[in-house]
Amino acid sequence: MGLPAPVAELQFEPLRRWRFDFSWPEAKIALEVEGGIWSGGRHTRGKGFIGDMAKYNHAARLGWRVLRVQPKELMTLATVQLVKESKGGTNE
């Protein structure tokens, strides 16, 4: 699909043990799959939401671009295009 294989579960912050669901480290792009949106999962409850904010803000300070998708969007052309455009439009 025009993208290199992503690295799954890359630990980018060892002290907090934060990981990205998928990442392209050479481009500093991360893809987070936000599950439990409609079922009251961890990402949508107060503590989990605040924890995710801290994680994403820390990643941004380190120069990462964090993209967020729903599980149903993971294996779609739209998500592939989102990652490609975030890399600067390259087809590596």
Side-chain angles (χ1 to χ4, degrees):
M1 298 187 100
L3 286 174
V7 175
E9 295 295 325
L10 175 76
Q11 187 176 59
F12 75 96
E13 173 35 76
L15 294 177
R16 298 285 301 265
R17 297 185 183 159
W18 281 332
R19 299 173 184 271
F20 294 130
D21 293 329
F22 300 97
S23 65
W24 290 265
E26 71 285 349
K28 284 202 143 181
I29 294 174
L31 183 66
E32 288 285 282
V33 182
E34 304 292 357
I37 296 169
W38 304 109
S39 63
R42 188 195 79 75
H43 296 287
T44 61
R45 287 180 279 180
K47 184 177 179 182
F49 189 85
I50 290 169
D52 283 348
M53 287 172 47
K55 174 181 172 179
Y56 299 149
N57 287 339
H58 186 74
R61 285 193 301 271
L62 296 175
W64 285 89
R65 284 172 280 174
V66 179
L67 308 174
R68 300 169 66 194
V69 298
Q70 300 176 60
K72 69 180 184 178
E73 297 171 314
L74 182 57
M75 301 299 285
T76 65
L77 290 175
T79 296
V80 170
Q81 191 61 35
L82 177 65
V83 173
K84 284 181 179 180
E85 289 171 2
S86 297
K87 290 180 74 171
T90 64
N91 288 325
E92 296 176 27

